[in-house]
Amino acid sequence: MRKSAIAVLFLVILGNVGAWALWNRPVAERPWAGVINGVSYTPFHPDKSPTKGDRPSPEDIEKDLAALEGSVKGVRTYSTMDGSEMVPAVARKHGIPVTAGAWVQGQPDVDEPEIAGLIKLARTYPNVRRVIVGNEAILRADVTVPQMVEYIRRVKKKVTVPVSTAEPWHVWLEHPELAESVDFLAVHLLPYWEGVPVDEAVDYAMFRYNELKTKYPNKHILISEIGWPADGPWRRGAEASQINQAKFIRTFLNIAAQNRLDYFVMEAFDQPWKREIEGTAGTSWGLWDAWRNPKFPMIGEVHELKSWPVLCAASIGVAFLPLVFFLTRRNDLRFGGKLFYGALIQAVGSVLVFTVTAASVAGLATTTEIAWGVLIFCQLVLLAVMLIDGLELTEVVWQERFRRKFHPCQAAPAADAPKVSIHVPCYNEPPHMVIQTLDALARLDYPNFEVLLLDNNTKDPEVWKPVEAYCKQLGERFRFFHLENWPGYKAGALNFGLDVTAADAQFVAVIDSDYQVHPDWLKATIPHFARPEVGFVQSPQDYRDWIRDRFQRMINWEYAGFFHIGMVQRNERNAIIQHGTMTIIRKAALEKVGRWGEWCITEDAELGLRLFEEGYEAVYMPESYGKGLVPDSFSAYKTQRFRWAYGAVQILKRHWRELLPGARKLTTGQKYHFVTGWLPWFADAAHLVFGLAGIVWSLGLLIFPKYFEFPPNAFMIPTLSVFAFKVAASLWLYEARVKCGFWDKVGAAVAGMALTHTVGRAMWQGMFTSGRPFVRTPKCEHQPAFMQAILMAREEIALLLALWGAAFAIVTVFGHENRDAFMWAGLLVVQSLPYLAALITSLINAFPDFRIGRRRPQPAAAVPGAAD
């Protein structure tokens, strides 16, 4: 490995360690060195849940209380029927007093056994020092205040220990009659649920405590629950985190000691089963985690993730081999490119480790487990696309030299230059447009060529007859063929053209019927066939007559990105996509690989792949030698891209074996480009599913909040970051290779994004169907009316409104108390952007005079003398 590569490896690893350390930088909080007065205790381990009828074992309780001994003075329980009734006996052995509770919910079949069990515990075990009848039962409206007063009265008659019920502070303030009935006030002070920022939370809790003390000066006050969760959604200004939990607990314990408060911290151990009823926050109030490990120290610095060095090391391990492979293989990149892409690889490794770690928490609800599986798969696809886009960006910006760069040949062709048969397939095209194409061909500066006009299944003689007549006027080089009821679509017509091609023709050129070629096209490209391994020579598609139309201007520059960025980079690995115009093919190679594939509606790309499989090379020259017409309508634009995407899936279904590792017909670079070139289209297919899933999930959050949670930030933040990266990379690539103004770059991005739904739908249909008919891209159409513009994007508009409606509803319902609602709503809005782009593009198509910003003057033609 070169010194520069070693330096990059060192810098990337060092940067990764620094990022993890910065994100998990320690926080110094007020220390606590005493014994905790008490903790709430529910004896369920990670694999058990009372909602499933599980019961803790005596051994579980023994281990728990042994772990608590010496750290706490007492425990509080909540029930006498779920296994908690075993706690007093075990606690007695460890010298731990118990405040026992009975779970009351206003149902006699539940309440009576609980109350009877509570009385029995208080009379049996001397270490049961107090009893609590019910836990927030009045808050939940399970029972009325008179009912609770009656329950308390009954228990007080049967026990000799103090009796109360546990409620939040405001219930006690609102019901003096309840306070009158108890021996002490058992109050819950949980500032997190009230949205109080952690820096103000302890002061707020003490304010409420003193408020009760003022109102009931003769009542002892037990803070029966106080604490802070280590994980969970934002509650207005309250953030659940490990550091905030440590800050709150350590601050409160010191103040409680100073004021000699009676309290139980909520709670001893994390309880994963509570996710089903209280969401993520309900699982993480413990001072110890679900596996009975302390979550943070009471003295010294606190980290958000104690195990961050291990996770950092794991992320380095995940990225190390790909990073070394990249650095050892890409000596053609400048140092900045190696560092940029190396850092990108490492960032992806860190995101994966962080996401998988977040997904491995215990006690996930079934819906959440399903969601995590889908979300992780989604993130893998997104990260793969980001790496692909990042590599293209790296090669474009930092590549030192081109390995395969081809220039137009300048010498005049010899009199005995090889013959070229130019095939022009057309179907129902405007005669004046085809005649212009023929005129341009007649001006070719090449001594030996013929032109075959292949009119395929045009029904109206008024359309094809004028073209036939014009071919006769142009002389014997031009031959016209009208095919009635001919099968195979464009490929069928081209195969017919092969049958009638001049016997001495060595090369077959194909152009679309709207293309006007430059006179130098053949003489600049045919000499590249001097090498026998060259199977075809390709020039880019280029366009004319688009400058004054905003819609056509947008899609012109969207096309330009592929031909000036993607094709140039693919050419470096001899892996270009053959497209069915401005292409010249060695006739012998065309016959050898079996001619044009009539089964495929993207016969050009499929033929190019077969030529590569046969071992032929391609030559790509980015100079323009012909210009056609862009689609006139958004509908035609979508139809064209649907055909390309649908055809790509059919090609993959036919050729997938040759794209697998170990297959020998294609080089590694060719496999890479054909797979990764179509992967973003599969990402568009995934986008369609995730958009619909986002709507369904939002409905679940709104209608069934008990079973649905907001997806965690571990997924949402990387997803939004990947989107931002793709936008930035696209603009950067255009700045490097496509010479257009800023607003043209934006317009190209909007136009490309507008096709997301179309491509996604094509990919799904392509995966499950085959044999979709070839649909030509119409040209020279009239501008659509406003309503037609809306109809052209009707599916996208429906999804746009659904996503916006879901985002608005989420913010309205949850935004006042949960900041995660804004993150989720933001993700829904980001998912809606392709649909918004479709609406914008369609409307611009309807209003061609629409302008944004200043127009940059149109650059001169790429080839001297070329005219629009």
Side-chain angles (χ1 to χ4, degrees):
M1 186 182 295
R2 294 185 176 182
K3 291 182 179 179
S4 62
I6 295 174
V8 168
L9 184 64
F10 174 77
L11 289 174
V12 167
I13 293 175
L14 183 64
N16 185 62
V17 173
W20 279 90
L22 181 64
W23 183 58
N24 290 281
R25 57 189 181 277
V27 176
E29 297 298 338
R30 188 175 179 180
W32 167 255
V35 178
I36 298 172
N37 187 72
V39 291
S40 299
Y41 172 58
T42 307
F44 292 96
H45 284 232
D47 58 338
K48 293 181 180 179
S49 169
T51 61
K52 299 177 182 178
D54 296 332
R55 287 176 60 82
S57 67
E59 292 76 19
D60 288 341
I61 297 173
E62 175 66 40
K63 291 178 183 177
D64 288 347
L65 295 183
L68 296 177
E69 186 178 0
S71 297
V72 302
K73 296 178 181 178
V75 296
R76 177 200 168 187
T77 62
Y78 291 84
S79 174
T80 64
M81 302 298 295
D82 62 0
S84 296
E85 70 275 10
M86 296 183 284
V87 171
V90 180
R92 186 180 182 184
K93 294 190 298 182
H94 294 277
I96 298 176
V98 176
T99 295
W103 190 262
V104 170
Q105 57 188 55
Q107 300 174 20
D109 59 329
V110 174
D111 297 353
E112 294 303 327
E114 283 277 359
I115 291 172
L118 184 65
I119 294 170
K120 181 179 179 180
L121 290 177
R123 298 175 67 171
T124 303
Y125 298 103
N127 63 321
V128 175
R129 306 288 176 82
R130 290 175 291 204
V131 295
I132 296 177
V133 183
N135 187 75
E136 298 184 349
I138 296 172
L139 176 68
R140 295 192 306 272
D142 288 346
V143 299
T144 64
V145 172
Q147 285 178 305
M148 182 56 72
V149 170
E150 176 59 22
Y151 282 157
I152 292 169
R153 184 190 62 80
R154 288 172 51 192
V155 174
K156 289 173 75 173
K157 284 184 176 181
K158 298 290 183 70
V159 302
T160 59
V161 296
V163 181
S164 186
T165 186
E167 294 289 344
W169 58 269
H170 61 87
V171 174
W172 291 108
L173 289 176
E174 293 166 3
H175 298 285
E177 69 276 26
L178 181 65
E180 183 66 26
S181 70
V182 299
D183 296 317
F184 62 95
L185 304 185
V187 59
H188 291 177
L189 299 174
L190 301 169
Y192 167 79
W193 289 121
E194 299 184 55
V196 180
V198 70
D199 291 334
E200 306 167 15
V202 174
D203 289 340
Y204 176 82
M206 294 307 300
F207 171 78
R208 294 303 182 187
Y209 175 87
N210 289 323
E211 193 174 18
L212 287 170
K213 190 174 181 180
T214 300
K215 185 163 185 176
Y216 305 110
N218 298 320
K219 289 287 185 181
H220 176 73
I221 299 177
L222 166 67
I223 302 176
S224 47
E225 282 187 2
I226 190 165
W228 197 272
D231 192 14
W234 280 83
R235 302 282 300 186
R236 298 187 289 279
E239 179 187 5
S241 73
Q242 186 68 79
I243 286 176
N244 284 352
Q245 184 184 39
K247 177 184 292 188
F248 180 89
I249 294 297
R250 284 164 60 163
T251 302
F252 169 75
L253 290 177
N254 278 279
I255 289 178
Q258 292 171 9
N259 292 276
R260 298 184 179 181
L261 300 180
D262 191 3
Y263 63 87
F264 287 102
V265 172
M266 176 70 187
E267 63 188 316
F269 307 107
D270 282 351
Q271 295 294 303
W273 65 271
K274 290 185 180 180
R275 190 181 300 271
E276 302 172 23
I277 55 175
E278 297 179 12
T280 303
T283 69
S284 62
W285 292 77
L287 301 180
W288 287 262
D289 65 23
W291 292 271
R292 280 46 186 172
N293 302 307
K295 288 163 66 174
F296 57 86
M298 290 296 179
I299 298 175
E301 295 178 329
V302 180
H303 293 84
E304 184 63 34
L305 284 175
K306 289 190 302 182
S307 60
W308 76 263
V310 175
L311 298 179
C312 178
S315 69
I316 293 172
V318 168
F320 187 78
L321 289 180
L323 187 55
V324 170
F325 178 80
F326 165 73
L327 293 173
T328 55
R329 294 288 296 270
R330 297 312 304 266
N331 293 321
D332 59 321
L333 296 174
R334 293 193 292 272
F335 184 83
K338 295 176 183 178
L339 185 61
F340 171 80
Y341 197 69
L344 191 62
I345 292 172
Q346 183 60 73
V348 168
S350 294
V351 168
L352 286 176
V353 168
F354 179 71
T355 303
V356 172
T357 301
S360 64
V361 298
L364 292 176
T366 302
T367 53
T368 307
E369 289 178 344
I370 295 171
W372 263 112
V374 174
L375 294 180
I376 288 176
F377 173 76
C378 167
Q379 199 166 94
L380 286 172
V381 173
L382 288 175
L383 293 174
V385 171
M386 186 173 74
L387 285 173
I388 293 165
D389 291 344
L391 181 60
E392 184 176 57
L393 176 63
T394 303
E395 292 180 339
V396 167
V397 176
W398 286 288
Q399 190 165 331
E400 289 185 334
R401 62 190 180 279
F402 286 102
R403 290 168 291 185
R404 299 181 81 248
K405 189 170 185 178
F406 301 98
H407 299 281
C409 297
Q410 302 296 327
D416 60 347
K419 188 168 189 174
V420 181
S421 183
I422 303 173
H423 297 179
V424 186
C426 65
Y427 164 68
N428 202 35
E429 302 288 3
H432 74 278
M433 181 189 76
V434 182
I435 288 172
Q436 291 174 346
T437 297
L438 294 173
D439 283 338
L441 290 170
R443 294 192 293 269
L444 280 171
D445 184 13
Y446 190 81
N448 195 7
F449 70 93
E450 66 170 0
V451 176
L452 308 184
L453 199 294
L454 307 170
D455 183 76
N456 182 20
N457 295 316
T458 300
K459 303 300 181 185
D460 187 357
E462 297 298 321
V463 175
W464 62 267
K465 285 285 188 181
V467 179
E468 180 184 38
Y470 198 75
C471 283
K472 291 178 181 178
Q473 294 180 30
L474 291 173
E476 61 182 10
R477 275 186 171 178
F478 290 77
R479 291 189 284 160
F480 179 89
F481 299 91
H482 175 66
L483 307 177
E484 290 280 359
N485 298 319
W486 199 258
Y489 312 108
K490 181 179 178 181
L494 290 173
N495 281 333
F496 172 84
L498 281 176
D499 291 334
V500 296
T501 292
D504 59 339
Q506 297 182 39
F507 305 103
V508 173
V510 180
I511 65 167
D512 286 343
S513 57
D514 60 314
Y515 264 75
Q516 296 179 15
V517 299
H518 188 273
D520 292 342
W521 175 38
L522 295 183
K523 75 176 186 180
T525 53
I526 290 298
H528 287 295
F529 285 101
R531 294 189 298 122
E533 60 268 25
V534 174
F536 66 100
V537 175
Q538 183 73 61
S539 299
Q541 292 180 204
D542 201 359
Y543 302 95
R544 65 183 190 275
D545 299 340
W546 48 264
I547 296 177
R548 296 176 180 85
D549 185 293
R550 171 57 61 180
F551 167 73
Q552 293 184 341
R553 189 183 188 95
M554 290 169 62
I555 62 177
N556 169 78
W557 290 118
E558 191 268 332
Y559 290 140
F562 175 73
F563 293 108
H564 292 285
I565 300 170
M567 286 285 278
V568 172
Q569 295 311 126
R570 295 177 74 109
N571 186 56
E572 284 292 278
R573 297 180 180 88
N574 189 35
I576 67 171
I577 292 282
Q578 185 183 33
H579 38 95
T581 190
M582 302 307 298
T583 186
I584 307 174
I585 312 156
R586 191 183 297 275
K587 182 184 175 186
L590 182 55
E591 296 284 2
K592 183 178 181 181
V593 298
R595 300 183 156 205
W596 299 93
E598 298 182 19
W599 61 273
C600 183
I601 63 175
T602 48
E603 71 295 321
D604 41 11
E606 195 272 338
L607 173 64
L609 185 55
R610 277 190 283 132
L611 288 167
F612 287 136
E613 290 173 353
E614 197 62 35
Y616 287 101
E617 286 188 20
V619 167
Y620 180 72
M621 294 187 304
E623 291 80 10
S624 171
Y625 282 99
K627 296 186 178 184
L629 298 174
V630 296
D632 288 323
S633 70
F634 184 49
S635 178
Y637 183 45
K638 289 169 61 177
T639 298
Q640 181 189 66
R641 196 59 56 93
F642 185 98
R643 175 168 60 85
W644 293 353
Y646 186 90
V649 181
Q650 305 311 306
I651 294 172
L652 285 171
K653 287 161 70 173
R654 177 69 67 95
H655 291 269
W656 64 270
R657 293 176 182 83
E658 298 306 325
L659 296 170
L660 294 175
R664 298 181 178 180
K665 290 186 177 181
L666 297 173
T667 66
T668 301
Q670 288 168 341
K671 293 175 187 177
Y672 169 81
H673 277 294
F674 276 96
V675 172
T676 61
W678 287 323
L679 184 62
W681 284 356
F682 282 101
D684 289 343
H687 180 274
L688 178 58
V689 173
F690 295 134
L692 295 172
I695 295 169
V696 172
W697 199 264
S698 298
L699 291 174
L701 288 166
L702 294 165
I703 301 172
F704 305 107
K706 180 178 178 180
Y707 302 102
F708 288 82
E709 297 180 276
F710 288 105
N713 290 338
F715 167 73
M716 291 193 285
I717 292 175
T719 301
L720 293 172
S721 300
V722 169
F723 175 80
F725 176 84
K726 284 179 64 65
V727 172
S730 175
L731 293 175
W732 196 348
L733 284 167
Y734 264 71
E735 183 65 27
R737 286 278 177 85
V738 183
K739 304 307 177 184
C740 60
F742 173 78
W743 288 110
D744 285 326
K745 294 182 180 73
V746 173
V750 171
M753 195 182 298
L755 297 170
T756 300
H757 178 69
T758 297
V759 170
R761 196 161 50 85
M763 299 302 282
W764 282 113
Q765 290 191 30
M767 283 185 274
F768 296 104
T769 66
S770 59
R772 187 179 178 89
F774 183 100
V775 179
R776 78 178 183 92
T777 304
K779 308 291 194 312
C780 299
E781 292 185 318
H782 295 295
Q783 294 292 343
F786 175 78
M787 285 308 299
Q788 183 65 24
I790 298 299
L791 290 173
M792 286 190 296
R794 58 187 180 275
E795 292 182 14
E796 291 92 336
I797 293 171
L799 288 166
L800 173 69
L801 294 176
L803 286 165
W804 281 6
F808 178 79
I810 289 294
V811 170
T812 301
V813 174
F814 299 105
H816 66 287
E817 64 177 21
N818 189 344
R819 291 190 186 180
D820 288 348
F822 291 96
M823 184 72 73
W824 176 246
L827 192 60
L828 294 177
V829 170
V830 168
Q831 285 183 305
S832 77
L833 291 181
Y835 309 120
L836 177 61
L839 174 60
I840 292 172
T841 304
S842 189
L843 289 173
I844 290 175
N845 185 204
F847 299 97
D849 292 331
F850 178 81
R851 289 181 175 85
I852 300 178
R854 295 179 59 189
R855 285 184 176 176
R856 181 170 175 168
Q858 170 65 8
V863 179
D868 285 347

